[in-house]
Every structure is written in structure tokens, then in C-alpha cells.
Amino acid sequence: MNKQELEKIKQKALENHVPIIMDDTLEVVDKILTEIKPTRILEIGTAVGYSAMCFSEYLQQGGKIDTIERDTERVAEARINIEKVGVANLINIYEGDAVEILPTLNEKYDMVFIDAAKGKYPFFLREALRMIKPNGVILADNILYKGYVMSDYNKHKQRTAVRNLREYVKEVTENPDIETEILEVGDGLAVSRIKK
Ligand code: SAM
């Protein structure tokens, strides 16, 4: 992997206000990936490919990442980026809305990283649970959403997103087959280990 190119892509994304994984969140994911030694990873929300490229370092021999992005321009940029960094053979980008693409997938994944439309998190979780391997890990980034999720915040504009993030937290903390930690890294990261 060309790390210099990866760093340039990160800086460009930050300059252009493309929302990419934060450093402290990435540190946590790095530790999880070191532990679980993944072969298959699913990401929902590619943006310009930064997190997928970071995760690809931890793939075992023959492993692959599937990542979904609906913004055409970002998909085009992500494809160029993964070529530049030399990891195009490890990352498969699905272009389109994850709500439509996820039901067409029938793979089993070691890790699912949810990082897209907040209002769709409960749907993404159901799809992730359908495809996660036993002992796999499902991560949901931005789960605390500026603190709105754990407070009594109820303003109109973000109401649907906040309600759906709360529903996600309820499901992963109350489901007896899932063990969840909510970490205060980035904008909040839910780490859910699947017990069976
Ligand atoms: N994971 C990326 C990283 O850390 O480098 C950042 C992803 S960014 C926070 C979220 C992306 O999800 C945006 O590029 C957005 O276009 C995409 N997105 C949002 N809702 C989506 C959906 N329903 N289907 C596919 N992509 C979606």
C-alpha cells in the first residue's frame, strides 16, 4: 500500500470537508481488526474510500472489502484513489443506495462498518445482522450524533435521525445475542460483538 498517497487523499478529503473517519475512531477499529483478522468486511458509506483503504491493511490472504456509496462523484473519486494507493484488488465498490443494494447481498462478513445516512441505521443493522459471521463485529459510526442521541434533544430538523439512532442503540444494547459498548471516540462509535 502506498501510504504517502493515502495521506494525501486524507488531507484532500479534510480540506474539501468530505466526512471521513476520525483518527481516534480509526485507532479503535485498527485494534478490533488486529484482533479479529478479517477476511470479509462490509462498509456502508464509502465517501472517497479513505476508511476502506485503511481497513484493507488488516485483510487476511484472499480477503476483500465490499463498500457501498450512492454519490456518483464520490464513487468515481474513490475508484481513482484505491488505484493510486494500490489496493483496487482488495476493495469492491457498489455504486447505489445501500437500502437497495444490501438486500441483494448474501455474503458473510467478519466486520460491518455502518457510516451512512443516520435515519437508516436500524435498517442497516437488520441487514448487518443477517450477514455477520458468528463472533463478528458490527460498528456504527457517529452513533452519539453531537450528543443528541443520549440527551432529551428533540428539534425538528434532526428528529428522524436522532430517533433512528436511539432505536439502533436500544436494539444493540437490549438484544441478548449482542454485546455492545458505546465509545466516545469521534462522534460516537457503537461496537457490537455478535455472540452467535
Ligand atoms: N466511511 C467513509 C470514511 O470514513 O472514509 C466516510 C463515509 S461518509 C461519513 C458517509 C457517506 O455515506 C457519504 O459519502 C454519503 O454519500 C454516503 N451515504 C449516505 N447514505 C447512503 C445510502 N443510503 N447508501 C449509500 N451511501 C450512502
Side-chain angles (χ1 to χ4, degrees):
M1 147 164 346
N2 186 332
K3 290 248 170 116
Q4 266 183 326
E5 275 300 333
L6 184 64
E7 184 57 32
K8 277 195 218 162
I9 289 161
K10 176 185 177 185
Q11 292 313 325
K12 186 177 167 200
L14 292 174
E15 277 160 30
N16 294 334
H17 307 289
V18 175
I20 58 168
I21 191 167
M22 291 168 81
D23 288 342
D24 56 350
T25 308
L26 185 58
E27 261 178 51
V28 172
V29 184
D30 283 348
K31 283 195 191 119
I32 293 168
L33 290 172
T34 305
E35 178 199 318
I36 67 174
K37 301 186 172 57
T39 311
R40 300 288 281 121
I41 296 173
L42 173 64
E43 176 181 67
I44 308 170
T46 317
V48 294
Y50 177 69
S51 52
M53 292 190 281
C54 294
F55 302 162
S56 72
E57 263 214 290
Y58 296 90
L59 287 172
Q60 303 299 294
Q61 191 70 32
K64 198 144 191 149
I65 298 178
D66 289 331
T67 180
I68 308 172
E69 174 57 54
R70 67 179 173 192
D71 181 308
T72 311
E73 278 176 30
R74 286 193 177 160
V75 170
E77 196 171 334
R79 289 195 204 283
I80 293 169
N81 288 342
I82 63 177
E83 283 288 345
K84 276 190 197 156
V85 173
V87 291
N89 58 329
L90 301 177
I91 299 174
N92 168 44
I93 304 174
Y94 287 103
E95 179 172 350
D97 195 318
V99 173
E100 283 158 28
I101 290 175
L102 285 167
T104 69
L105 303 181
N106 276 306
E107 303 280 337
K108 290 289 175 198
Y109 295 98
D110 301 285
M111 183 180 95
V112 179
F113 184 68
I114 301 173
D115 192 16
K118 296 177 183 71
K120 296 290 179 332
Y121 272 34
F123 174 80
F124 296 154
L125 176 63
R126 281 195 294 281
E127 288 297 296
L129 285 170
R130 181 175 65 77
M131 292 188 276
I132 196 76
K133 291 182 189 171
N135 301 313
V137 181
I138 299 174
L139 303 176
D141 203 5
N142 307 309
I143 197 70
L144 295 176
Y145 195 16
K146 302 175 185 165
Y148 300 153
V149 174
M150 297 305 195
S151 69
D152 52 11
Y153 181 90
N154 243 336
K155 285 229 178 92
H156 185 70
K157 200 167 155 242
Q158 286 91 2
R159 211 165 46 197
T160 308
V162 172
R163 193 184 58 233
N164 284 295
L165 292 172
R166 284 181 185 146
E167 187 185 326
Y168 184 103
V169 171
K170 188 171 188 306
E171 170 64 19
V172 293
T173 50
E174 292 182 2
N175 185 328
D177 298 332
I178 308 176
E179 202 177 278
T180 295
E181 280 179 288
I182 308 282
L183 305 178
E184 288 185 11
V185 288
D187 203 6
L189 180 72
V191 179
S192 299
R193 291 167 199 274
I194 310 310
K195 293 191 214 158
K196 54 183 179 185

